Amino acid sequence: MDCQTAEGMVSRYIKHDLPLNELEEFLDHVQNCSSCYDELETYFIVHEVTHQLDDDSSDSVLDFKKLLEQDIRKSRRYIRKKKVSWLMFGVSICLLIATIAAILIFVMMETNYIL
Ligand SMILES: [Zn+2]
């Protein structure tokens, strides 16, 4: 991914509006590209400040850099969790197919279609 693409995704990242594959590529890029990370940080701070003003909460977090790091970690965890659930889904499908195949073979042997 190049910087232009990554910069175009910044606002969608902040709104948590990126599909999983783009989210992962985006995170890979910003974590290795300081200029895009700065860009993300700026947008993130602006977003958080407006959000906290709207919220009018007294316990607003002022350490935005830490907040962004937390957000990135959360996104990474989200990607991992999704990947694991896809893997589990794939394994279940394989098991299901194997079970059906075994039943079919058993039925065919019982009814002498094989042998
Ligand atoms: Zn970049």
Side-chain angles (χ1 to χ4, degrees), residues 56-92:
D56 198 28
S57 58
S58 49
D59 58 338
S60 59
V61 185
L62 289 170
D63 195 350
F64 293 114
K65 288 185 185 217
K66 200 167 260 172
L67 216 59
L68 177 58
E69 281 166 23
Q70 268 171 19
D71 199 74
I72 288 174
R73 268 205 299 276
K74 229 189 291 176
S75 302
R76 285 279 185 202
R77 261 206 304 275
Y78 172 74
I79 293 171
R80 260 206 310 276
K81 227 159 66 182
K82 281 282 172 194
K83 278 190 170 169
V84 169
S85 57
W86 283 346
L87 191 73
M88 298 301 270
F89 182 70
V91 169
S92 321

Side-chain angles (χ1 to χ4, degrees), residues 25-38:
E25 284 177 35
F26 176 77
L27 290 178
D28 284 343
H29 182 88
V30 293
Q31 290 190 307
N32 292 301
C33 175
S34 58
S35 80
C36 286
Y37 192 87
D38 286 347

Side-chain angles (χ1 to χ4, degrees), residues 41-60:
E41 202 172 65
T42 311
Y43 272 86
F44 185 80
I45 290 170
V46 170
H47 179 264
E48 283 303 313
V49 168
T50 24
H51 185 74
Q52 289 189 4
L53 284 178
D54 286 347
D55 252 12
D56 198 28
S57 58
S58 49
D59 58 338
S60 59

Side-chain angles (χ1 to χ4, degrees), residues 9 12 16-25 78-79:
M9 291 162 113
R12 283 201 289 154
H16 297 126
D17 200 21
L18 284 176
L20 205 69
N21 56 334
E22 288 181 40
L23 178 63
E24 190 173 27
E25 284 177 35
Y78 172 74
I79 293 171

